[in-house]
Amino acid sequence: MTFQSPMPSREFLWDIFRRVDKDRSGYISADELQQALSNGTWNPFNPETVRLMIGMFDKQNRGVINFEDFGALWKYVTDWQNCFRSFDRDNSGNIDKEELKNALSAFGYRLSDNVVNVMIQKFDRFGRGTILFDDFIQCCVTLYMLTSSFRQYDTDQDGVITIHYEQFLTMVFGLKV
């Protein structure tokens, strides 16, 4: 299942980059990016999701992204938007429990209703039993990162690991979530 969109022209991206780069530094900060993104409501984009995305695309590890990083981030967000819309079956602008379960299943995760409920509670900022676009990105990226960390210890791929407490702490604190 693919949700990839074509890359917009360099001129188009440069125009957007210049508008988002409010302080004209040549870099986009998390605050500038948060102001530029929309989650489909009048609420600001989740600052944790913005921080996570900046961290993913900040190749120099400075807490900001340059124009080249911005192009990759733009495509990433657009692809997530297409993905989100495909699973928002009722076009409500949010993902409910069943839609989340369908999305995670399509991504190859086989999770119990209990775990899906926990994820809804964790990523539902407004207590409505649904997840908005920006929180959906954070939810899926967090699940992916946790799963990748788990798999480093699940050498026989049976879904079970045995680790020491310090290994667990190293694994968790090593995550960029």
Side-chain angles (χ1 to χ4, degrees):
M1 183 172 293
T2 180
F3 301 100
Q4 293 189 352
S5 56
M7 191 66 154
S9 75
R10 190 168 177 83
E11 295 78 25
F12 174 82
L13 286 174
W14 179 247
D15 183 49
I16 297 203
F17 182 87
R18 283 192 357 239
R19 284 190 268 155
V20 174
D21 180 19
K22 298 281 187 207
D23 65 2
R24 300 286 179 245
S25 66
Y27 295 93
I28 292 177
S29 68
D31 288 342
E32 288 171 327
L33 185 61
Q34 181 185 16
Q35 292 172 17
L37 293 173
S38 170
N39 67 3
T41 71
W42 294 107
N43 297 301
F45 215 80
N46 184 330
E48 284 302 308
T49 306
V50 173
R51 183 188 60 76
L52 185 67
M53 290 190 310
I54 289 279
M56 290 170 64
F57 290 92
D58 173 19
K59 303 292 184 253
Q60 287 79 37
N61 239 3
R62 292 183 279 188
V64 293
I65 55 172
N66 63 22
F67 176 65
E68 298 305 320
D69 300 335
F70 177 73
L73 185 138
W74 178 272
K75 183 171 180 357
Y76 182 80
V77 171
T78 303
D79 290 345
W80 271 115
Q81 223 170 18
N82 293 335
C83 175
F84 180 85
R85 287 181 182 140
S86 76
F87 290 110
D88 179 16
R89 303 286 172 161
D90 60 2
N91 293 315
S92 61
N94 56 55
I95 298 284
D96 64 24
K97 178 187 166 190
E98 279 308 307
E99 291 167 333
L100 180 62
K101 190 169 183 166
N102 290 336
L104 297 177
S105 179
F107 299 157
Y109 295 102
R110 302 290 176 255
L111 302 173
S112 69
D113 285 345
N114 186 45
V115 171
V116 175
N117 286 335
V118 168
M119 293 175 73
I120 289 280
Q121 289 173 351
K122 169 81 176 153
F123 296 100
D124 172 15
R125 283 186 291 157
F126 300 103
R128 298 181 184 135
T130 59
I131 300 175
L132 296 172
F133 170 59
D134 48 346
D135 301 317
F136 178 71
I137 294 173
Q138 185 183 3
C139 173
C140 294
V141 170
T142 301
L143 179 61
Y144 173 79
M145 292 172 125
L146 289 169
T147 301
S148 295
S149 290
F150 184 91
R151 283 188 177 147
Q152 290 177 350
Y153 293 97
D154 187 14
T155 53
D156 59 357
Q157 300 296 300
D158 68 351
V160 176
I161 62 174
T162 302
I163 59 176
H164 298 282
Y165 180 61
E166 286 196 4
Q167 287 176 303
F168 170 74
L169 291 177
T170 301
M171 180 175 76
V172 171
F173 288 136
L175 295 173
K176 279 190 165 185
V177 291

